[in-house]
Amino acid sequence: MAAHRPGPLKQQNKAHKGGRHRGRGSAQRDGKGRLALKTLSKKVRKELSRVDRRHRASQLRKQKKEAVLAEKRQLGGKDGPPHQVLVVPLHSRISLPEAMQLLQDRDTGTVHLNALGNTQSFMLLCPRLKHRWFFTSARPGDLHTVLDMAKVADTILFLLDPLEGWDSTGDYCLSCLFAQGLPTYTLAVQGISGLPLKKQIDARKKLSKAVEKRFLHDKFLLLDTQQEAGMLLRQLANQKQQHLAFRDRRAYLFAHAVDFVPSEENNLVGTLKISGYVRGQTVNVNRLLHIVGHGDFQMKQIDAPGDPFPLNPRRIKPQKDPDMAMEICATDTVDDMEEGLKVLMRADPDRQESLQAEVIPDPMEGEQTWPTEEELSEAKDFLKESSKVVKKVPKGTSSYQAEWILDGGSQSGGEGDEYEYDDMEHEDFMEEESQDESSEEEEEEYETMTVGESVHDDLYDEKVDEEAEAKMLEKYKQERLEEMFPDEVDTPRDVAARIRFQKYRGLKSFRTSPWDPKENLPQDYARIFQFQNFTNTRKSIFKEIEEKEVEGAEVSILLVHLVCCFHLFLFFLLGPQMSVLNMVVRRDPGNTEPVKAKEELIFHCGFRRFRASPLFSQHTAADKHKLQRFLTADMALVVTVYAPITFPPASVLLFKQKSNGMHSLIATGHLMSVDPDRMVIKRVVLSGHPFKIFTKMAVVRYMFFNREDVLWFKPVELRTKWGRRGHIKEPLGTHGHMKCSFDGKLKSQDTVLMNLYKRVFPKWTYDPYVPEPVPWVKSESSSVVPQEGME
């Protein structure tokens, strides 16, 4: 008799809830060892009342407000460095001398002129506003100067044209500045008062729309009169400062005065005395100093002279005329600043950082010495233990008898061929049909016209470099072939494939197959430094800078060895050692020329500038990254080079030097990591064609051209462009034909592929000395042309 089973409509009553009547033991059993969240947390937060929470929030707001006000008072105040302003005209119609003359208002304050190379600069002291500025200027055509001065400037003052805003040269300069990182900036328009009154309103509206494309929600000021210049100075003094992370964590300095003292032995080597205001972090005399464009140096001492531009100078009344007052202001020369010099710190040879950037490799390191007798005996014992094999034998079998017993296993017999194949037999699969095409030519009536020869064609051909044009055409062809057939290469017929690709290997899965990062490293890896944990090292160094850094100076004289030069931009290093830098970049949309891997490029990485030949690879989260032969425009890539260690965050700009000496922007991005273990894998794809197809079996040819190569690459897996996978069964004949099996039937138009991989490393082409580029102007057709008078 079958038992009754309830149906799906049977009433389901709720289970009884113990609720708060449960005992402590039952609650612990239900918890199964889990603890409350408050018990697990490191810091138990004290619950505050509503009044206390409001009071705490008010205190936090007050502290932030006081910190912002203290920063404003320090910058440009009597106790801080001057407010450094970089003036950049963004249009060729802008008169830079006129704008600088308006800012040099004698009624506003005291002006100290200073000629620094080709750059106009002056110091403006305004006791009424309790502020002092140091104005410098740079033309957009001199791109290196603009980028270097923007790294140390507190504020950038962009001068706009009232009709167009900026021209193509200014737009190119803005692209580079935005990629590098903009500090605080202000927009000013020059020449709008010269327009008719009816056109001034329309000009402002059009200019506002144009400004919104680059500077969102930013307004511009006018700069045509002394009154407007005063309003602009107030805006600069009260503006909130934007911080650049790569310079806020370091000490940096703009040289106001330079004096070179040659040594007695050699006039090219001596002591360089540099005077300027230290910004950012405090300075440690035992650390190294980097001068942009010249290299790394050690400091001898740091001195503190009197402030050459005091905000409130002392007044001395002469005895002859008590009504006249004379302001005594120190000049910016080194001789005057050395009066009353105070030595702050001297370098300690025991604690001073070394200038050694590379590891000196030991040629004997890694060599194997002859083993001792003890080591040989240990090795024999280990071999004896490892050579013991466990076998199933009948009871009572001796060890000598067990040696003759073979392991049971199925022997694989040879598989008969399903068909006979003669490698000398030639079969034609396609028949060429020749048809005689007979077409009658239709006569057309033509009209004759006399056309004069153009004189400009001959002049245009004179400027064309045929050799450079041929090289560029070849690069365009290679880039096009790489897009159509990625990583595919032709198997050479004069060299055996097992020799040509002997450094390559096959992988079951590019993503999951293991690859030792310490395997087969090049000799250059013995010269670099490597971190055990780069992230922890970076955090500890920045924490040491914030907490344990020694005292610094607002005005310092730094003594290093260098040949005298024009403008100097100084950054204090956290380490000059060489390593492998990985940077994430994206192709600049304004540049369309193909850029091949291992081409020499110019890098602006943080505060450094150098030349190197990088590798391009995919930006993925895996442990292996595929090499890219060209810098593609549709995706972000990782650039790998040998370079001095730089801690992120740091902006990256890539330039390419043309044959005429000009630099064009290639890509922009940021520094990702310093990691020599990041593996860049080069892939080559060998292709073959199905010759005969039998269900899941096929004869493939043209991948190899001899029998030995087929046997050599037999363990490597095959794939097809239509998604089939297979492997080589055996070679057929002596001409490289092979029998392959697949997981499905092949199509006659399919292509058989074999992926081979090897790890690649960048070339050691690091050069810290970058030649100055030729000043340029960007034409309307997005091509860079030299300025007039520069050829």
Side-chain angles (χ1 to χ4, degrees), residues 147-207:
L147 294 177
D148 290 342
M149 297 188 75
K151 294 174 185 177
V152 298
D154 298 315
T155 303
I156 299 181
L157 176 59
F158 293 114
L159 300 181
L160 308 179
D161 182 72
L163 298 179
E164 298 180 3
W166 51 79
D167 54 8
S168 57
T169 307
D171 185 72
Y172 191 75
C173 180
L174 285 177
S175 300
C176 297
L177 287 174
F178 273 102
Q180 178 179 269
L182 268 182
T184 308
Y185 61 88
T186 302
L187 307 177
V189 183
Q190 184 192 56
I192 200 169
S193 61
L195 300 176
L197 295 176
K198 295 182 179 179
K199 294 184 178 181
Q200 289 185 8
I201 300 177
D202 296 338
R204 287 191 179 186
K205 290 182 180 179
K206 292 180 180 178
L207 189 59

Side-chain angles (χ1 to χ4, degrees), residues 537-783:
T537 305
R538 172 177 170 271
K539 289 181 179 179
S540 62
I541 289 179
F542 286 156
K543 187 176 181 180
E544 180 184 355
I545 292 174
E546 295 176 359
E547 297 179 358
K548 301 179 181 180
E549 190 61 84
V550 296
E551 64 208 23
E554 294 179 359
V555 184
S556 59
I557 294 181
L558 309 176
L559 306 179
V560 295
H561 293 84
L562 184 68
V563 180
C564 188
C565 55
F566 282 158
H567 354 201
L568 296 181
F569 308 94
L570 290 78
F571 285 83
F572 298 88
L573 297 180
L574 303 178
Q577 291 82 8
M578 296 289 292
S579 188
V580 179
L581 270 62
N582 302 306
M583 315 168 189
V584 180
V585 300
R586 187 176 289 273
R587 184 73 178 266
D588 183 67
N591 189 285
T592 57
E593 294 183 2
V595 181
K596 199 173 182 180
K598 298 184 180 180
E599 283 190 27
E600 186 181 78
L601 300 179
I602 297 172
F603 287 77
H604 286 245
C605 180
F607 56 86
R608 288 188 181 273
R609 187 168 66 234
F610 57 88
R611 292 185 294 175
S613 301
L615 292 178
F616 304 140
S617 59
Q618 293 180 352
H619 182 34
T620 59
D623 60 339
K624 297 180 289 294
H625 313 273
K626 193 174 78 69
L627 175 75
Q628 294 291 118
R629 289 176 170 81
F630 288 89
L631 183 62
T632 56
D634 56 344
M635 58 188 298
L637 298 180
V638 176
V639 175
T640 304
V641 290
Y642 290 112
I645 294 173
T646 303
F647 292 97
S651 59
V652 174
L653 281 76
L654 269 63
F655 293 88
K656 184 178 180 181
Q657 185 172 2
K658 296 192 173 183
S659 58
N660 54 6
M662 295 179 294
H663 296 175
S664 60
L665 182 64
I666 298 297
T668 59
H670 64 276
L671 178 63
M672 181 178 68
S673 65
V674 180
D675 185 12
D677 288 342
R678 187 180 186 274
M679 292 185 292
V680 180
I681 308 299
K682 180 180 180 181
R683 183 184 72 172
V684 296
V685 179
L686 306 181
S687 59
H689 303 278
F691 180 46
K692 291 183 178 180
I693 301 175
F694 301 92
T695 315
K696 295 184 179 182
M697 303 288 293
V699 178
V700 180
R701 61 178 177 177
Y702 301 148
M703 182 177 290
F704 305 107
F705 297 99
N706 56 72
R707 184 182 183 90
E708 290 77 11
D709 289 344
V710 177
L711 294 173
W712 180 269
F713 291 100
K714 184 178 179 181
V716 183
E717 186 182 21
L718 301 176
R719 68 179 181 89
T720 68
K721 289 188 176 181
W722 286 27
R724 296 298 182 189
R725 290 186 174 272
H727 61 277
I728 301 174
K729 296 288 290 184
E730 60 180 349
L732 300 175
T734 61
H735 287 69
H737 293 208
M738 53 189 182
K739 182 169 64 174
C740 306
S741 64
F742 296 90
D743 57 355
K745 186 176 181 180
L746 292 185
K747 302 290 184 180
S748 59
Q749 62 269 30
D750 203 350
T751 304
V752 181
L753 305 175
M754 176 184 288
N755 294 339
L756 300 176
Y757 304 92
K758 80 166 182 177
R759 185 179 179 183
V760 292
F761 304 89
K763 292 183 178 180
W764 193 288
T765 57
Y766 171 78
D767 187 1
Y769 303 105
V770 179
E772 290 294 330
V774 176
W776 50 266
V777 172
K778 196 172 182 183
S779 64
E780 297 299 332
S781 60
S782 299
S783 60

Side-chain angles (χ1 to χ4, degrees), residues 445-465:
E445 296 181 359
Y446 294 94
E447 181 181 359
T448 60
M449 182 179 297
T450 305
V451 181
E453 295 182 358
S454 176
V455 183
H456 298 285
D457 292 343
D458 298 336
L459 299 177
Y460 183 81
D461 292 338
E462 291 178 358
K463 298 181 180 180
V464 174
D465 189 355

